[in-house]
Each structure stands twice: as C-alpha cells, then as structure tokens.
Amino acid sequence: MIIEIDFQSDEAIYIQLRNQIILGIATSAIREGDALPSVRQMADDIGINMHTVNKAYTVLKQEGFLRLDRRRGAVIALDADKMQAMEEMKNTLRVLLAEAYCKNITGNEVHEMIDEILDDMKNGRM
C-alpha cells in the first residue's frame, strides 16, 4: 500500500495517515492480521515525524482498527462491535447529510454517491 501525504492540505497529517490506512483496509490493500510498518519505518518511508505516525496509530487503535502486538507491532485487527460502529457512523452521517440538505443535494444524489463509493471499494479502487 502506498501512503501519500499532502503537506499543503489543511487536514492534519496524522488524520491523512489514519484515513489512508482505513481506505487501505476497505479496499483490501491491507487485511486483518497484516502488520503495519513500525512507527520509525513508516515515518522514514513517508518523510514525517515519528510522533505523527504514533498519533495516527493510537487513534486507529482507539477506533478499533488495529492492536499493538509485542512481537509484530501494529497489526490490523478490526473491532467486532458493529453496533457501536453503526451508531458512530450514524452520528457522523447525520451531520454530513444536514450539510448536503443545506446545499440542496438530493437523497437520490446521496444514494448514487454511496453506491459509487461502495463499488469502488469492492473493486479495490479509491
């Protein structure tokens, strides 16, 4: 999996890294049980500070996307708590859909967009 960081973006680097790892999981570029590079190696590979990588890994751990293993380091381990994940997604979607509503984006347009995104994930694209 190739990680690309946009240093000109307003989005924090650790969030960009977190998001790219989640997209990697969703597109099967990385799978449950795969080990991520060490904090030091990831920082060297993409040219960012080790503390930034550590923060991204910590957030992913808190969100249930990975666990820390003494021997293997950061390992993709998806949280089995689907109900909690669905509730968190619902809260996030509520705000996104309110923004869409305010900008006159229709329900059909939202559904088409969701279908397109899910198709891309199924086919390993993002």
Side-chain angles (χ1 to χ4, degrees):
M1 183 176 116
I2 297 173
I3 302 288
E4 295 179 8
I5 300 298
D6 179 359
F7 293 100
Q8 305 305 315
S9 174
D10 290 336
E11 187 171 53
I13 292 172
Y14 82 95
I15 294 293
Q16 290 183 54
L17 178 56
R18 170 210 173 264
N19 292 347
Q20 292 213 14
I21 291 170
I22 291 172
L23 289 171
I25 295 167
T27 58
S28 298
I30 49 178
R31 300 176 190 275
E32 176 121 18
D34 287 352
L36 295 176
S38 69
V39 169
R40 181 181 308 271
Q41 185 63 53
M42 179 72 82
D44 287 346
D45 287 351
I46 58 180
I48 62 175
N49 188 292
M50 287 185 356
H51 297 292
T52 304
V53 175
N54 192 49
K55 188 169 184 177
Y57 282 12
T58 299
V59 169
L60 287 164
K61 181 180 180 291
Q62 291 169 345
E63 294 174 339
F65 289 101
L66 61 83
R67 65 180 164 74
L68 301 178
D69 182 283
R70 284 187 152 175
R71 289 170 277 159
R72 297 185 60 213
V75 177
I76 302 300
L78 303 178
D79 190 4
D81 192 355
K82 183 177 180 178
M83 294 305 289
Q84 179 183 350
M86 287 180 65
E87 190 61 33
E88 290 170 4
M89 181 183 286
K90 186 177 184 179
N91 291 334
T92 301
L93 281 172
R94 182 172 279 118
V95 174
L96 288 172
L97 292 173
E99 290 174 9
Y101 181 79
C102 290
K103 294 180 180 183
N104 296 317
I105 298 172
T106 68
N108 285 338
E109 290 170 322
V110 170
H111 286 282
E112 288 174 15
M113 195 180 316
I114 290 170
D115 289 341
E116 178 184 329
I117 292 168
L118 290 173
D119 284 343
D120 286 346
M121 283 184 202
K122 288 177 194 172
N123 295 310
R125 297 184 306 259
M126 283 312 285

